[in-house]
Amino acid sequence: MDFATAFPIGYRDFHKDPTYNFQLNRWHSLGLMPSEDLQGLGTKIITFADWKSEMVQLAEKATSENRLRNAAFYYRAAEFYTINGDQPDKEFYYDKFSGLFYQTIDSKLVERKFIPYTDRTELPVLRIRSKSDHKGTILLHGGFDSFLEEWYLIMEYLSTNGFDVIAFEGPGQGHMLIKQGVPLDYQWEKPVKAVLDHYGLNDATLFGLSMGGWFCLRAAAFEPRIKNVITSGHAVDYSRIPPAFARWLMMFFIKYFRAYTGRSFKKMAARGGIKGWQVNNLAHITKQDPLEAFEYSLNLNKQNLNCDHIKQNVLYLTGRDDHFIPFKMHDIQLKLFTNVKSLKDRVYEQEDYANHHCQIGNIKLMLDDIVEWLETLESHQ
């Protein structure tokens, strides 16, 4: 595979709305949607209904042209902006996505499993073995609302560079949420333990993207079998992203005007738009009402991260212009790595084309940096 082509370089102007534009860029940058399909969507998409309609049309066109991976991710995109209240539609699009995606992979080269988690639930896992001299095992996962299949080409790239790669979903993600009904659990050491136990691993690298960066650091604090940690695009404390006064005001209203605040969250969800979708999506992933879901998200803080317990080698990646995570979080996180074995941080600038959230715009550069870092660590053993 030509990975220079698989991971196109550059952040495109597909849509004037930065939120829609990012979502289009992330699937494009991950090699899952060609730019020629996405050109012109900026004038066609105004509402979520427009988004869903356009994505379904693209899925049907790609299917008719036997571009099944593209078609799969257009259905994924349709699911993404389907509001929580339309749960049957979310599951329908998920099933369309999954059915098409798994037609595109070679089961002789890619192992798909569901490994034990609790008495009634299982973790979805994809595994690709190294295609060259074995350099170690990488456990890969996303964050808040990701599907493990989104990382497939990243898995291929890392396996080509000598790593066994095991991608998994945890509570609140993909199959676990939509098909098993398992809500988000910030205690990410639990799914990590299940994967390590199942495969008998004692010295794996853990790689988390977006909120998955917070999750993997949290897991490393409690799981000594993790040897190296790689994080891209997380906030050390998600409640600290807004300005301090806005946070104080929200907490004041929750404490003293709880019923009113709860109604306000529900009204915001009902109004729709990006803010309404965010409220609905958080409620969907946590399986709580909007206010309770917001309160649960407050657990994603520096106290629960337990950075003083992280003793592994850490690679910390940040985009200078990440529109989700303010750059102030970078230095706050750096100062909390007080007991790590080694630390390397990398800030991607505009000239790198990797300056956006999770290095969308230049995925290959990020992966090359990861491979180089892991190889350097190994050479110093």
Side-chain angles (χ1 to χ4, degrees), residues 188-190 192-194 196-197 201-202 204 206 217-227 229 309 312:
W188 208 249
E189 63 274 17
K190 296 177 183 178
V192 169
K193 178 182 185 301
L196 293 171
D197 287 349
L201 298 170
N202 293 305
L206 187 60
L217 289 172
R218 158 83 191 197
F222 292 93
E223 184 47 81
R225 289 176 291 176
I226 295 301
K227 182 180 180 181
V229 186
H309 293 143
Q312 291 89 344

Side-chain angles (χ1 to χ4, degrees), residues 34 36 113 179 212 234 242 247 259 322 341:
E36 52 267 28
K113 296 182 73 172
K179 306 303 287 187
H234 79 282
R247 181 184 186 278
D322 188 326
K341 184 176 182 181

Side-chain angles (χ1 to χ4, degrees), residues 287-303:
K287 290 196 170 294
Q288 301 185 52
D289 74 30
L291 177 55
E292 290 173 340
F294 174 80
E295 290 179 307
Y296 188 83
S297 74
L298 297 175
N299 286 299
L300 295 163
N301 57 47
K302 66 178 182 179
Q303 289 76 28

Side-chain angles (χ1 to χ4, degrees), residues 48-296:
F48 291 142
D50 298 333
W51 172 282
K52 189 189 308 186
S53 174
E54 292 297 326
M55 291 301 157
V56 170
Q57 287 182 50
L58 285 170
E60 291 171 347
K61 181 176 185 292
T63 302
S64 71
E65 297 170 352
N66 203 34
R67 294 186 289 120
L68 300 189
R69 185 173 297 158
N70 294 155
F73 282 93
Y74 292 130
Y75 281 120
R76 159 56 169 153
E79 181 277 335
F80 186 73
Y81 277 138
T82 296
I83 298 298
N84 179 30
D86 297 327
Q87 182 62 30
D89 278 356
K90 288 188 81 69
E91 187 165 0
F92 172 79
Y93 290 129
Y94 177 84
D95 289 343
K96 295 285 284 186
F97 155 77
S98 182
L100 287 167
F101 176 82
Y102 286 103
Q103 291 181 50
T104 71
I105 63 172
D106 186 342
S107 60
K108 295 178 182 178
L109 301 176
V110 184
E111 176 187 87
R112 186 190 187 196
K113 296 182 73 172
F114 292 86
I115 66 174
Y117 186 53
T118 67
D119 290 342
R120 298 182 178 181
T121 62
E122 299 172 309
L123 296 179
V125 171
L126 285 180
R127 183 185 190 185
I128 303 179
R129 296 182 183 273
S130 63
K131 295 182 173 66
S132 58
D133 293 341
H134 184 256
K135 300 174 183 177
T137 300
I138 298 174
L139 308 185
L140 172 63
H141 62 88
F144 184 60
D145 49 19
S146 67
F147 292 178
L148 69 85
E149 295 88 356
E150 292 173 298
W151 318 125
Y152 179 74
L153 290 181
I154 288 179
M155 295 177 69
E156 285 274 11
Y157 189 84
L158 293 172
S159 71
T160 299
N161 280 274
F163 297 93
D164 284 357
V165 188
I166 301 170
F168 68 94
E169 288 171 343
Q173 297 178 339
H175 189 283
M176 288 205 80
L177 177 69
I178 295 173
K179 306 303 287 187
Q180 301 180 59
V182 183
L184 178 67
D185 183 350
Y186 72 87
Q187 299 174 86
W188 208 249
E189 63 274 17
K190 296 177 183 178
V192 169
K193 178 182 185 301
V195 176
L196 293 171
D197 287 349
H198 182 81
Y199 289 100
L201 298 170
N202 293 305
D203 58 354
T205 294
L206 187 60
F207 177 16
L209 290 134
S210 193
M211 192 178 283
W214 191 98
F215 292 156
C216 75
L217 289 172
R218 158 83 191 197
F222 292 93
E223 184 47 81
R225 289 176 291 176
I226 295 301
K227 182 180 180 181
N228 311 305
V229 186
I230 304 165
T231 170
S232 168
H234 79 282
V236 61
D237 188 330
Y238 282 82
S239 71
R240 305 287 175 180
I241 291 176
F245 178 74
R247 181 184 186 278
W248 175 87
L249 190 63
M250 175 62 73
M251 301 311 295
F252 176 86
F253 269 83
I254 289 174
K255 183 175 182 179
Y256 295 105
F257 302 96
R258 183 175 182 81
Y260 170 80
T261 306
R263 290 193 298 271
S264 297
F265 269 90
K266 289 179 180 178
K267 288 179 181 178
M268 185 183 300
R271 279 198 299 268
I274 292 296
K275 290 289 186 182
W277 174 83
Q278 290 171 340
V279 172
N280 272 295
N281 204 34
L282 182 58
H284 169 58
I285 288 166
T286 59
K287 290 196 170 294
Q288 301 185 52
D289 74 30
L291 177 55
E292 290 173 340
F294 174 80
E295 290 179 307
Y296 188 83

